[in-house]
């Protein structure tokens, strides 16, 4: 099964319109077996660790077992922040120890190694090319965790950033992605409450209309649906919801289990 | 011949700066043979079905026989619109039944299957990942059209959108693409008329200068040439013709076989 | 070693948000062996030959020996400008003869062939797809330089553009890239002078603070470091240095070996 070949999945804030990804790929070509490189996402908003961490958690299962991840949102590059290799079954996740690897670290079978000080990246500013890619190539070529660095405990590492804070009758929840269509993706999982009377409040604007797909809204109307990440999204039909609500990735949104109007009607 | 390997060509309005393409690729990795995935174009203007349909028709021949297409511009996703697999020789085209597959449907040897109701996409909003990619993987792994859904007639499907309307002494023709340099690509094929006296009229501005390449124009001057799609383009030399003419993809342009000035001179 | 497979590395000003790259890749699929196509960089500022030439010179070594380059920044496309294939060991570089191939031409073992007049590109405006890609496919399939065109001397070709002009006590140096984070990359190599008192002057603003990495600056502060290309970059911590300095790729910057303040203090 070729679905069993080695793959490298890249998630970074390098931007597809820049050339950092291209250099990193050059280094990956040093692997001694054929690998397929997949650009998962390179336009994480610069420095937004929590968006990257969340997207990995929601999308890693789409990739076959031997898909290795290089994860680079790294505002602390060149400082003494640590870097990690997390092994989960047949695959590894590599990146800085700043929370971006939180999902992998939270898995029961996670084996964690700190990238050792014997790795001397050629630059202080581009560890994607000069540290993470060489470490992955070394792992692919030798399969020897001892070459990477010392085993450490999960508890010593930065966990997943908090993206939802429970409140009485609701929660504060992060906007974790805004897509090209302006759909506002949140970290709020669709759970077993009475959604008919629930609301999201963004910048003082209350959204209460619950739909199944875009076309259930009038053109330009704003509503909510369970989107492709399995979480609640605020969307508009053929319009840019994020612009209409003046919100951006990283903002907090208020979730009310029962909207005020619904309460009044009780 | 490796030019004979299986390939998947992607054309979507997902945007290369977003992460929908990356998820779709994860699903494609489930194919049981090695496939090469080619990002043909992901920045179709959102919801612009006719641009995608036209670009497929003008570019499909650049790809080897076993190049399968996933075509997703799909404003009706989640509604009862149908989805199709069109088989042409060794390759298949997969996408919604909204005209985007018009070129494939117009070919004499087209075998058309509706994607059956036994396919239950996990989301209502992302059929690229949850329906079209799994259908292609199933086709690649089993080569069994019966697994896809019922055979239907071409006449039951949405044809190619109309991109040219003939008029006395000319035509109305669509702008089908505007490239990063500002070149205005039209659906007007270069045909056997007296081009020396022909004109295109965009927003009231008449373009009459016919050149072979950009450098035949003065810097900033606007003219026409037969571009890389084999159709007429309005271009400027080292300047952004689309901005100068305030036009966008999807606009209509007037084509006059003889420009007014030329007529006056008759 | 799969690091020994044939690869094609692409550097162009086509833009990743456009569809010229996709068409070119279709033509490359005509190679008779499996090749891996790597998008090195497609967002060279339109027509900026010197940026492309410089980036090739600084990054070509990241790719394995059998990595062939197609290099297209080509404002003269369709005019009588020549096109070249430069062979260096096991790899070839293909592109217009306008300086973009300057690095390859400057290597001692460069074998240079002009792309002959028997190649008849189908379009006058898209030689990436219609000339350079077919020439590379022909080379990969036949390994016969005689099929490409006549051997010529390096001295007949356009050399690397000048990116640094020496001055008394300093130099003028080009900005060769501005990345998505706003880092201003220059062609100035880090050499053995007293950097502690050196300055870069951009639009009248003198930058004198020398750091190892971004986090050594206060948030929003501007400084200099040796970046991932091994040259001096002007950067800011979590801010967009290029916007703060109103500079762009292609601008000249003044480099003073000793800044004025330092001189005053002598």
């Amino acid at each position: 099964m070729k679905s069993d070949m080695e793959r490298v999945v890249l998630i970074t804030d390098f931007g597809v319109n820049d050339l950092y990804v291209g250099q990193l790929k050059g280094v990956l070509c040093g692997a001694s077996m054929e690998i397929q490189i997949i650009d998962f996402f390179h336009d994480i908003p610069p420095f937004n660790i929590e968006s990257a961490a969340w997207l990995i958690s929601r999308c890693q299962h789409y990739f076959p077992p031997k898909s290795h991840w290089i994860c680079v949102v790294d505002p602390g590059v060149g400082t003494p922040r640590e870097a990690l290799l997390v092994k989960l079954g047949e695959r590894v996740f590599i990146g800085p120890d700043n929370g971006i690897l939180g999902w992998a670290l939270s898995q029961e079978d996670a084996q964690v190694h700190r990238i050792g000080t014997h790795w001397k990246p050629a630059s202080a500013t581009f560890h994607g090319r000069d540290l993470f890619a060489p470490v992955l190539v070394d792992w692919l070529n030798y399969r020897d965790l001892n070459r990477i660095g010392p085993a450490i405990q999960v508890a010593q590492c930065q966990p997943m950033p908090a993206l939802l804070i429970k409140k009485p009758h609701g929660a504060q929840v992060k906007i974790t992605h805004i897509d090209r269509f302006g759909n506002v993706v949140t970290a709020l999982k669709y759970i077993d409450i009475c959604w008919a009377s629930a609301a999201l409040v963004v910048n003082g604007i209350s959204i209460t209309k619950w739909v199944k797909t875009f076309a259930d809204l009038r053109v330009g109307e704003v509503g909510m649906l369970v989107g492709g990440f399995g979480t609640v999204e605020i969307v508009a039909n053929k319009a840019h919801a994020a612009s209409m609500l003046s919100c951006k990735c990283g903002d907090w949104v208020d979730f009310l289990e029962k909207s005020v109007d619904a309460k009044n009607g009780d």
Side-chain angles (χ1 to χ4, degrees), chain A:
Chain A
M1 284 250 298
K2 277 298 184 176
S3 56
D4 212 35
M5 74 182 292
E6 305 288 342
R7 289 191 173 84
V8 180
V9 184
L10 305 176
I11 181 168
T12 76
D13 65 352
F14 295 164
V16 286
N17 298 94
D18 213 324
L19 50 55
Y20 296 115
V21 178
Q23 294 174 68
L24 192 156
K25 287 180 180 173
V27 176
L28 290 177
C29 293
S32 62
M33 74 291 300
E34 190 177 4
I35 56 172
Q36 189 171 28
I37 302 171
I38 296 183
D39 296 294
F40 177 61
F41 190 33
H42 293 297
D43 284 284
I44 297 281
F47 321 125
N48 192 326
I49 295 162
E50 60 197 17
S51 174
W54 184 81
L55 290 169
I56 295 166
S57 78
R58 302 307 294 174
C59 298
Q60 51 76 31
H61 60 287
Y62 291 113
F63 295 86
K66 292 187 179 173
S67 300
H68 310 287
W69 288 69
I70 291 182
C71 311
V72 196
V73 178
D74 196 9
V77 64
T79 68
R81 69 100 183 82
E82 300 293 346
L84 304 175
L85 179 149
V86 184
K87 186 170 182 298
L88 283 186
E90 293 185 281
R91 61 185 169 161
V92 299
F93 291 74
I94 295 173
D97 180 19
N98 61 14
I100 195 172
L101 301 181
W103 178 83
L105 288 164
S106 72
Q107 302 305 298
E108 267 189 33
D109 58 337
Q111 289 176 263
V112 189
H113 285 249
R114 186 174 286 153
I115 297 178
T117 51
H118 59 290
W119 292 92
K120 310 275 187 211
S123 76
T125 55
F126 191 4
H127 283 189
R129 179 192 68 193
D130 294 338
L131 184 63
F132 305 137
V135 162
L136 180 56
V137 168
D138 193 273
W139 164 252
L140 290 171
N141 290 355
Y142 297 100
R143 307 288 165 161
D144 181 357
L145 288 172
N146 293 322
R147 295 175 59 95
I148 307 303
I152 59 171
Q153 299 300 312
V154 167
Q156 298 173 260
C157 305
Q158 289 291 322
M160 190 79 179
L163 300 169
L164 186 143
I165 300 169
K166 288 196 178 165
K167 301 272 177 184
H169 313 300
Q172 272 195 308
V173 63
K174 278 262 179 176
I175 296 174
T176 44
H177 182 60
I178 290 182
D179 74 13
R180 92 173 294 217
F181 303 98
N183 299 318
V184 179
V185 181
T186 77
L188 184 63
K189 285 182 199 169
Y190 182 65
I191 45 171
D192 189 26
I193 64 161
C194 176
W195 281 92
S197 60
L200 285 180
V201 183
V202 186
N203 286 331
I205 300 167
S206 185
I207 297 126
T208 56
K209 183 159 185 180
W210 183 254
V211 294
K212 182 164 169 284
T213 190
F214 307 107
D216 297 336
L217 295 162
R218 296 186 309 275
V219 170
E221 188 184 17
V222 176
M224 290 176 294
L225 50 70
V226 176
F229 300 97
T231 61
V232 176
E233 298 184 14
I234 305 168
V235 306
N237 187 9
K238 294 199 182 180
H240 198 282
S243 299
M244 294 168 75
L245 299 168
S246 302
C247 62
K248 62 183 191 306
C249 185
D251 286 354
W252 289 101
V253 170
D254 287 312
F255 165 60
L256 308 176
E257 289 191 12
K258 286 199 169 201
S259 66
V260 175
D261 286 353
K263 274 180 189 162
N264 288 346
D266 270 349

